[in-house]
Amino acid sequence: MVARVARLRRDSRCALDPPYAVFALPAAGSECAGGTRAARAAADPPPGRDPPRRPRRQATATAVDPHRPRSSYPRSLSTEPEGAITMTRKTATPATPAPRKSPKASTHPAATAPLPESLNGKASPAKAATGDAPVFAYIASLPQPQRAIAERIDALAARTLPGLERSVKWGMSYYGVGDGWCFCCGAFASHVKLMFVNGVMLDPVPPVTPVAMGKATRGVEIASADDIDERQIAAWMKQITAVPGVGKRPQK
């Protein structure tokens, strides 16, 4: 028994105190003691040096207050409060403006003021100008049925009188052949007046004496295109252009 205990103490380096067996601490020169001392030396810094600092663990999450506005958190915060609604502002894309259409040059002037009941200075705001285009523009600006009547008179004059020239004067269309203007055509509220300068010389004399157009001027009032007597009007056109007109037309 004694030999067995001595062997156990030698092998395990422990002391047995009957009736209990307690492992003894390793002796000062034992391998276990050396290993423990070496581990402590490695763990404890040498005197005069600061112990090494442990690296800080980076926080992976930050407590979020669901009642705190999202804009107050740092930008590095990637977590959102549970149940929170994220509002994203949508950048408005500027609408591409539609290409503007270049206004087409119109040969027809805008509609003028209501037609006058009678001649009082000017029959319309049309500006005085010589040539076919101003007369065509004046006729095109008229309402119906005055436009249809004026177009019929203009076409009849073009067929009847070779070398017909046109002009706009006093807001009406004037026609002539030779040295002056011989007759005119103006639109009014209820009719179109066809007036012949020196109409008292015509046969038969036209029945209407226009106001403010001179004592020798005579003409007819036409309420609709159906009232146009082309045969009689063409005869008057030929008669009136056979005598000198009024107003010298500019030379071209």
Side-chain angles (χ1 to χ4, degrees):
M1 180 65 181
V2 175
R4 185 178 179 184
V5 171
R7 186 171 60 250
L8 291 175
R9 181 179 294 178
R10 184 177 62 252
D11 294 342
S12 61
R13 297 180 179 87
C14 63
L16 292 178
D17 294 332
Y20 302 101
V22 179
F23 289 100
L25 293 174
S30 65
E31 296 177 358
C32 294
T36 303
R37 188 177 297 108
R40 289 182 179 179
D44 296 336
R49 295 186 181 181
D50 295 334
R53 297 182 180 179
R54 292 183 179 181
R56 295 182 179 179
R57 293 184 60 187
Q58 296 182 357
T60 57
T62 305
V64 179
D65 185 0
H67 302 289
R68 183 178 175 182
R70 184 170 180 262
S71 59
S72 63
Y73 287 98
R75 295 183 178 179
S76 59
L77 180 60
S78 59
T79 58
E80 292 288 346
E82 184 178 357
I85 300 176
T86 303
M87 302 295 293
T88 303
R89 178 177 295 178
K90 184 178 180 180
T91 304
T93 304
T96 303
R100 297 182 60 183
K101 296 182 179 180
S102 57
K104 296 181 180 179
S106 175
T107 56
H108 304 292
T112 57
L115 298 176
E117 294 289 338
S118 61
L119 183 63
N120 185 13
K122 291 181 64 176
S124 75
K127 295 182 178 180
T130 302
D132 296 344
V135 172
F136 294 156
Y138 163 69
I139 294 174
S141 70
L142 300 177
Q144 295 291 1
Q146 287 86 343
R147 184 191 306 173
I149 298 171
E151 289 174 347
R152 288 275 302 274
I153 297 297
D154 185 270
L156 178 61
R159 294 195 307 266
T160 304
L161 305 173
L164 178 69
E165 295 189 18
R166 300 175 174 89
S167 178
V168 173
K169 292 180 179 294
W170 298 288
M172 296 180 289
S173 56
Y174 271 71
Y175 302 87
V177 175
D179 295 333
W181 306 108
C182 301
F183 60 94
C184 63
C185 181
F188 297 88
S190 59
H191 59 276
V192 171
K193 276 190 175 69
L194 175 61
M195 296 167 280
F196 298 92
V197 180
N198 297 323
V200 292
M201 301 173 59
L202 298 177
D203 185 20
V205 177
V208 176
T209 302
V211 178
M213 289 296 293
K215 295 180 179 180
T217 302
R218 297 291 186 271
V220 292
E221 294 180 352
I222 306 172
S224 68
D226 297 334
D227 296 338
I228 297 176
D229 186 351
E230 292 191 358
R231 184 175 180 180
Q232 180 61 69
I233 292 176
W236 283 335
M237 288 179 178
K238 291 178 180 179
Q239 291 181 41
I240 204 65
T241 54
V243 297
V246 295
K248 186 175 179 62
R249 290 183 284 108
Q251 299 293 329
K252 293 185 178 179

